[in-house]
Amino acid sequence: MTTNPTNTAPPLPPARAGRREWSALGVLMLPLLLVSMDVSVLYFAIPAISADLAPSGTQQLWIFDIYGFVLAGLLMTMGSLGDRIGHRRLLLIGAAAFGTASLMAAYANSAEILIAARAVLGIGGATLMPATMAILRTMFTDPAQRAKAIGMWSGVMTAGVALGSVMSGVLVEHFWWGSVFLVNLPAMALLLVLGPVLLPESKSPEPGRFDRLSVPLSMAAVLPVVYGLKEIPSEGWNVLYVVSITVGLLFAALFVHRQRTAEAPMISPALFRGRGFAPSVALNLVCMFGVMGSSYFTTQYLQSVLGMGALEAALWALLPSVPIGAAGPVATQLVQRGVNRAYVVTGGFATSAAGFALLSLAGTDSLWLVLTACAVIAVGGVTVMSQIMDLAMGAAPVERAGSASSLLETGAEFGGALGMAVLGSIGTAVYRHEIPASAPDAAHETLGGALAVADQVPGLATVAREAFTSGMQGAAIAGAVLLAGAAVLAAVTLRRVEVREQRACETPDEPSHLSPSGV
């Protein structure tokens, strides 16, 4: 009897997760839910904050934006740090910091202090988000189970955004605006108790030293660019804003150079050699740009244009979230049944673009049209996000799960904050253009400011509401164009990824031709 010496044992299938892992996933959802809630928790509190703290139009934008900006700037740092010290440890540290910052925000007595508190919340949130995905990637190694878990992760994050606004409306209706931050405390306390019991520790066995220089470089790359892009649409091409963007891009180039040349980089360039990883990061950014950019207008539309109270507006805003919960699981089922992932993602972007097109048709009394547009935009966004994240995390090695998830979430948070800033600034520019020059100064800042002094000028309230709606229409047109372009980009890039995967399967021993950039 002869044997073939080239025969080898077939590889063992990935271990399937059991009851403990699924229970641990439920614990991981706590910080994710709260971090996503904090993105939207101020939507219906803004009128109360405006009345109490009297922020300027720019300060109001920063109250919204600073949380996402700081979070986006530090996610890469925290993801890399978690790979080194352990993601469970970082998760618990972040929970304590997030709770402390919530107290600071709840009792802020000026716009400046509230902005600072939101920045500290961003720091705490930056420790939580990459840790949750990294631990998830470690617990779920089976591709089908991982796709299901990531679909649930995406659904919880989207639900958190919707729940944050509803929670905001309920609390502002019955308490004061600072109470929207206090709801974080019980959940963070529960995480600190259950986390050490149920969550496994997850870190790289050979992480290397921590690259401290990359921390300020990453922050310096993100914040100046976002600041300039936020101000230019509303204020014009001021030299200061152009310089700000240029400086940020220069630091971005330095950051990339540092990652390519450092002995132990914060973000390993090898991540971008994974098939589909680089396109996933870019497409995820564009997706969140659209989803969060639309939210900035629609929540204010319900309150300030339609005249709803905070609670009533919050309850109406909950309706679009009803179909959202099914979007991620349905997209996952389509892919698992053989539908090309590129087609599913392209369809998601096209759906969101159609939602923006609907929003551009809204008038000053278009409740159902606006709610339908919100639902369509969000359904498309969740469809894209669930597939993009599964593709990217599947391409990343387990030992780099923290860095990989931090890059994805940096793109998502940066895109969401940028969407609110850019589309919000476009809307503000249109609004200010349509407000009569003779109107009081407060009316030129925000719609809330115009309504506050509307009794002094007959007809000002009607003009201001029409101006805000026109601004929303202009921003919606910009969003529709952007997401339609993203649909084309997704169709092209993800089809290329599929072709490369097929070639790799046919010639598994052939070396990869991908460059370090992944393209």
Side-chain angles (χ1 to χ4, degrees):
M1 180 176 178
T2 61
T3 59
N4 186 349
T6 62
N7 287 342
T8 58
L12 295 176
R16 290 182 61 82
R19 181 178 299 177
R20 180 181 179 86
E21 285 77 16
W22 289 107
S23 299
L25 178 63
V27 174
L28 284 179
M29 297 300 100
L30 285 174
L32 176 65
L33 182 67
L34 292 173
V35 171
S36 57
M37 281 175 57
D38 255 48
V39 173
S40 61
V41 77
L42 291 185
Y43 287 166
F44 294 112
I46 279 294
I49 292 173
S50 297
D52 190 15
L53 304 182
S56 67
T58 299
Q59 286 176 327
Q60 180 172 305
L61 282 175
W62 276 113
I63 290 172
F64 272 117
D65 297 339
I66 192 66
Y67 173 78
F69 292 165
V70 173
L71 194 153
L74 285 176
L75 276 169
M76 290 184 288
T77 298
M78 298 306 177
S80 178
L81 184 62
D83 284 341
R84 287 161 171 77
I85 70 171
H87 293 289
R88 184 181 66 181
R89 179 183 297 179
L90 187 65
L91 184 73
L92 299 178
I93 293 172
F98 201 84
T100 302
S102 297
L103 280 173
M104 178 181 174
Y107 294 100
N109 58 9
S110 70
E112 292 81 4
I113 292 178
L114 181 56
I115 291 171
R118 291 278 286 171
V120 177
L121 279 169
I123 296 172
T127 68
L128 300 174
M129 293 192 70
T132 61
M133 181 57 75
I135 296 174
L136 183 153
R137 177 68 176 89
T138 302
M139 293 191 302
F140 297 94
T141 57
D142 178 75
Q145 287 189 319
R146 185 185 66 237
K148 182 178 179 181
I150 289 177
M152 295 172 62
W153 191 97
S154 303
V156 168
M157 186 171 69
T158 306
V161 176
L163 183 60
S165 60
V166 174
M167 186 74 71
S168 170
V170 171
L171 291 175
V172 171
E173 185 79 9
H174 296 286
F175 302 99
W176 95 110
W177 60 263
S179 62
V180 303
F181 296 105
L182 295 182
V183 295
N184 296 335
L185 301 182
M188 287 301 170
L190 187 62
L191 175 61
L192 290 171
V193 172
L194 296 180
V197 177
L198 292 178
L199 297 178
E201 187 56 279
S202 169
K203 62 181 178 179
S204 174
E206 298 179 359
R209 64 180 180 82
F210 185 70
D211 184 21
R212 296 180 180 180
L213 181 59
S214 292
V215 177
L217 284 178
S218 64
M219 292 291 288
V222 171
L223 296 181
V225 172
V226 173
Y227 170 74
L229 291 175
K230 181 179 73 70
E231 296 296 336
I232 283 175
S234 58
E235 303 293 340
W237 288 88
N238 188 295
V239 174
L240 173 63
Y241 307 142
V242 176
V243 170
S244 178
I245 293 174
T246 303
V247 169
L249 293 176
L250 288 175
F251 275 109
L254 290 174
F255 177 77
V256 172
H257 176 74
R258 177 70 180 178
Q259 306 318 297
R260 287 179 174 272
T261 58
E263 182 179 347
M266 176 187 292
I267 303 296
S268 173
L271 277 174
F272 290 90
R273 299 189 186 106
R275 293 180 179 90
F277 187 82
S280 296
V281 173
L283 293 173
N284 202 38
L285 186 153
V286 177
C287 174
M288 290 304 295
F289 182 105
V291 171
M292 297 308 302
S294 66
S295 298
Y296 176 79
F297 291 97
T298 53
T299 52
Q300 292 189 70
Y301 177 87
L302 294 177
Q303 280 189 284
S304 298
V305 176
L306 298 184
M308 295 182 181
L311 179 58
E312 182 185 5
L315 294 175
W316 277 107
L318 192 60
L319 286 180
S321 66
V322 174
I324 292 173
V330 168
T332 299
Q333 286 295 319
L334 288 174
V335 173
Q336 291 181 349
R337 292 183 180 182
V339 178
N340 190 291
R341 192 194 302 268
Y343 298 152
V344 175
V345 174
T346 299
F349 275 120
T351 300
S352 290
F356 270 109
L358 281 177
L359 190 62
S360 70
L361 303 177
T364 56
D365 189 18
S366 303
L367 172 62
W368 287 105
L369 178 62
V370 169
L371 293 179
T372 301
C374 290
V376 173
I377 292 170
V379 164
V382 172
T383 299
V384 170
M385 185 168 54
S386 64
Q387 297 310 303
I388 287 298
M389 297 189 72
D390 183 43
L391 175 63
M393 295 307 296
V398 175
E399 64 272 14
R400 293 188 180 127
S403 297
S405 64
S406 70
L407 281 172
L408 274 174
E409 290 155 10
T410 295
E413 293 299 325
F414 183 85
L418 194 61
M420 293 170 64
V422 172
L423 296 185
S425 295
I426 291 174
T428 299
V430 174
Y431 169 83
R432 290 175 178 173
H433 177 74
E434 295 196 4
I435 290 292
S438 59
D441 291 341
H444 289 272
E445 288 290 327
T446 62
L447 174 57
L451 296 178
V453 297
D455 293 341
Q456 304 174 17
V457 182
L460 177 59
T462 299
V463 171
R465 290 187 174 103
E466 291 175 349
F468 179 88
T469 304
S470 296
M472 183 175 70
Q473 292 169 350
I477 292 172
V481 172
L482 175 69
L483 292 181
V488 176
L489 180 63
V492 173
T493 56
L494 296 186
R495 282 293 295 167
R496 288 177 179 173
V497 169
E498 181 191 10
V499 169
R500 289 175 178 177
E501 289 178 343
Q502 290 175 348
R503 290 176 178 173
C505 291
E506 294 169 0
T507 57
D509 295 328
E510 181 180 344
S512 172
H513 296 289
L514 290 177
S515 69
S517 64
V519 295

